[in-house]
Amino acid sequence: MRRLLLTTTVSLLALGAYVHPVDDPRSFIAVAFAQPGGIRQNPERDAYYGDLHLHTTYSFDAYVLMGTKVDPDQAYRFAKGEPVDYLGEKVQRREPLDFLAVTDHSENIGVANETENPNSELMQTEWGKTFKKDIDGQGLTIAERMKNAFAMLAKYFLTATRVGGPAVQRVEDSAWQREMAIANRNYEPGKFTTFIAYEFTSMQDGANLHRNVIFRGNTAPSPFSSQDSRKPEDLWKWLEKIRKDGYEALAIPHNANASNGLMYDWTTLDGRPIDRAYAQLSADNEPLSEISQNKGSSDTHPILSPNDEFANFEIFDTLLVSTQPSKPQGSYVRDALSRGLIIERKVGVNPYKYGIEGSSDLHSGLSVSSQEDYAGNIGGINLGGGRPTKEQAAGVLGQTGDKGALAGFSMLRTTSGNLTGIWAESNTRESLYAGLRRKETFATSGTKLKFRFFGSWGFNRGLLDGDDWVKTAYASGVPMGGDLPAEPAEAKAPSFAIWAVKDPNSANLDRVQVIKVWEDNGQQKEKIFDVAWSGNRKIDSRTGKVPAVGNTVDLTTGKYTNDIGAAELKSVWTDPEFNPNHLAAYYLRVLEIPTPRWSTLLAIKNGLPLPKGAALTEQQRGWSSPIWYTPAQL
């Protein structure tokens, strides 16, 4: 394993940041932090929105395949809402984010863009000169860059061991120091939070096993990469080791949809059945999983959830770097949640007890989450110099040319960045990180939906009518990400307080659903309950489902109206089919009314035919972290 680069702590006053040491590294959940004066604190918590997965020019693939020149400082400033230069024009985010983690790939971090400096140590080596020739040989156009994508990735990026020798190592160390310094410089407690972070880029026969590693503090050791080990469990062991040295961090798996069933398998990567020790290691170090992003949704797949009429949303079901189909089983979060219950029944610990988050994984350095600001082009940004020409748009939409292909898959299958919501007392590293650890998080497909989810054994139906209902819910129940307490003798079933409100700048709400998964005699079970919906619709007695809300989208203009749907939905719901003998998990899905997809907007704007092979309209959505039930006699 590469040596740990122990960084010097930078003056906290100079950075405007602060740290709070923890005596017991494993007590990170329960620690209370005092905040300096002037920072808003809400004991009932506010929702903060951000992106925990973004790449800049420091990422090998972003620079080599996509020509990205945006650096981490520009990425943070754009996320704050500041104007930045992008391909010769000033661009500004539609709405600022509350937090951001730049997660450049740890493998050869900062090496590719270093080739621009002919006087660098790297460029005096034969390896560096050969690398530069390979990059230049790709050409300057997107199509030319893509032709040899596999060869470049295999030779320099997805290698099992480190390449380039000491000079490359020194470049990586320097880049990591800059990543940390830039994150600290852009951290504004109470206003905008940055996280030191990176991506662990493990591939197993093309199957995606990537993780984003998020640090709580203002310094971190050099990254543990897939060139140290491709096994996720070795990453977890490294996290355990550095935690003892005072570095608190967690890992977040992403793009399980492209993992070919390996991300949430019944076995370890070595093929061993998951035992208690492995399950505990996973649970301690991966409290969250990414449910949706630019390369598709990892909620569920129509094959896994044939009775879910909303399952066919942003399906990306091949491997990332080939057209090989990715096996659905073991590749989706809903499947993982029920698998985890079965494993817990066997070994006593749930390795897949995930909270939920959503991110962008965009490689342009600029995090956008609006359908209007995404154009399917390789950088993914429909802003400034990134806006595609009509000819380029036709290619992206699959109508001409190379069909916007990257490594064999059509960009038409991608989408805008997604968002993570964190319920936290304040917008600081400590408070937001604590929210990640306790899983009081949710994801949206890009809009700023806001929703609460509490579970209890005794919520009354009038709970949500009170002005202080949130305080009551915290006092007498558990929020999203929590475990229901032991079932009281007099209780018959758990009840849940559910509240959702629309994004002020987006579409009205269609409905709120509770998705329940449970185990029954070693079998995975799931059921979806409509619990709150707009208008006067009634549940169909034949299907047990609420009818469709309707669709106001004009496919000639790309406009929609909020004449249907609701601004707010709420309910206190009791599980009508509760069985106290079964482990179970419940999570929310909140659906907006239909709006135009980015590909529809791009076609209309450029006077092109509406694309085939992609939805013309979609219902943007959000997912909460689950609330779990465990029988007393497990």
Side-chain angles (χ1 to χ4, degrees), residues 606-625:
N606 286 278
L608 296 167
L610 295 177
K612 298 178 180 179
L616 299 180
T617 65
E618 288 184 322
Q619 292 187 249
Q620 300 305 323
R621 60 198 61 195
W623 304 264
S624 78
S625 289

Side-chain angles (χ1 to χ4, degrees), residues 345-411:
R345 173 74 72 177
K346 293 179 179 179
V347 306
V349 178
N350 185 345
Y352 302 138
K353 198 172 184 177
Y354 290 125
I356 299 302
E357 68 92 43
S359 295
S360 73
D361 195 12
L362 293 173
H363 282 59
S364 64
L366 304 181
S367 175
V368 297
S369 52
S370 167
Q371 294 288 304
E372 291 87 346
D373 295 337
Y374 182 74
N377 46 349
I378 214 66
I381 305 301
N382 192 28
L383 297 173
R387 293 190 182 97
T389 64
K390 182 174 183 177
E391 181 180 9
Q392 290 168 338
V396 167
L397 297 174
Q399 297 169 1
T400 63
D402 67 357
K403 300 184 179 181
L406 168 62
F409 65 75
S410 168
M411 297 303 291

Side-chain angles (χ1 to χ4, degrees), residues 391-583:
E391 181 180 9
Q392 290 168 338
V396 167
L397 297 174
Q399 297 169 1
T400 63
D402 67 357
K403 300 184 179 181
L406 168 62
F409 65 75
S410 168
M411 297 303 291
L412 189 60
R413 293 194 295 145
T414 64
T415 190
S416 69
N418 287 213
L419 294 175
T420 294
I422 306 175
W423 288 102
E425 292 84 358
S426 62
N427 190 357
T428 61
R429 281 177 177 166
E430 294 82 4
S431 188
L432 293 180
Y433 189 90
L436 296 177
R437 268 292 177 185
R438 68 173 178 268
K439 310 174 191 177
E440 198 172 352
T441 60
F442 58 94
T444 83
S445 56
T447 65
K448 288 187 175 180
L449 288 166
K450 186 185 298 185
F451 42 100
R452 298 263 201 182
F453 187 41
F454 291 90
S456 174
W457 294 104
F459 285 150
N460 66 67
R461 293 194 172 276
L463 170 68
L464 298 174
D465 296 330
D467 293 336
D468 59 350
W469 76 266
V470 172
K471 183 177 181 180
T472 301
Y474 272 118
S476 58
V478 296
M480 61 178 74
D483 289 271
L484 287 166
E487 179 187 7
E490 68 278 7
K492 294 183 178 181
S495 56
F496 299 88
I498 298 156
W499 171 84
V501 64
K502 72 181 290 290
D503 178 341
N505 298 313
S506 188
N508 277 346
L509 305 180
D510 167 17
R511 72 188 70 196
V512 180
Q513 300 175 311
V514 169
I515 299 175
K516 177 186 177 182
V517 298
W518 70 98
E519 53 80 36
D520 184 357
N521 196 28
Q523 300 298 310
Q524 297 172 260
K525 303 289 185 179
E526 72 171 66
K527 188 167 183 177
I528 300 169
F529 300 87
D530 291 315
V531 298
W533 54 89
S534 63
N536 298 317
R537 292 173 289 167
K538 305 292 184 182
I539 292 179
D540 188 308
S541 60
R542 294 179 298 104
T543 64
K545 300 175 181 179
V546 172
V549 68
N551 193 329
T552 68
V553 176
D554 184 335
L555 292 177
T556 63
T557 64
K559 304 293 185 182
Y560 70 93
T561 68
N562 276 327
D563 296 336
I564 57 175
E568 179 185 41
L569 294 172
K570 57 185 179 179
S571 176
V572 174
W573 176 80
T574 300
D575 182 356
E577 301 177 5
F578 178 69
N579 186 323
N581 298 317
H582 298 157
L583 290 98

